[in-house]
């Protein structure tokens, strides 16, 4: 891995649907980034996708932002 990359942002604005497979990929990516002291910022979640994160309580583990400007602060 590249030690210089410690975080990532993922814009989900155009994602209309996410199932358990998609959640699993994001959780795995978050785990790998946290192993190296990083974080995964999720940006612009549509209401339907945000609802999935709320129902699964994954909002406790992910950094979620309304827009790119907020994520970059």
């Amino acid at each position: 891995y590249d030690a210089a990359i410690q975080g990532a942002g993922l814009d989900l604005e155009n994602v209309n649907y996410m199932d358990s497979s998609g959640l699993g990929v994001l959780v795995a990516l978050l785990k790998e980034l946290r192993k190296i002291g990083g974080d995964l910022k999720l940006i612009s979640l549509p209401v339907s996708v945000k609802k999935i994160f709320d129902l699964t309580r994954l909002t406790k583990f992910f950094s979620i932002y309304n827009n790119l400007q907020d994520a970059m602060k």
Side-chain angles (χ1 to χ4, degrees):
Y1 73 91
D2 184 346
I5 299 174
Q6 293 186 353
L10 190 59
D11 186 339
L12 300 176
E13 182 177 9
N14 295 315
V15 175
N16 297 317
Y17 174 80
M18 185 171 297
D19 62 10
S20 60
S21 297
L23 292 175
V25 168
L26 294 178
V27 168
L29 179 56
L30 179 63
K31 278 180 65 174
E32 291 302 312
L33 286 168
R34 289 205 171 149
K35 282 181 186 177
I36 60 170
D39 193 22
L40 176 61
K41 296 180 178 186
L42 302 180
I43 304 163
S44 301
L45 277 69
V47 174
S48 60
V49 174
K50 175 70 166 56
K51 190 180 289 187
I52 301 277
F53 278 83
D54 290 335
L55 290 171
T56 58
R57 300 182 195 260
L58 287 173
T59 51
K60 291 192 258 182
F61 303 100
F62 285 92
S63 301
I64 298 175
Y65 298 90
N66 290 327
N67 55 57
L68 182 59
Q69 292 77 18
D70 289 346
M72 295 184 73
K73 290 181 183 175

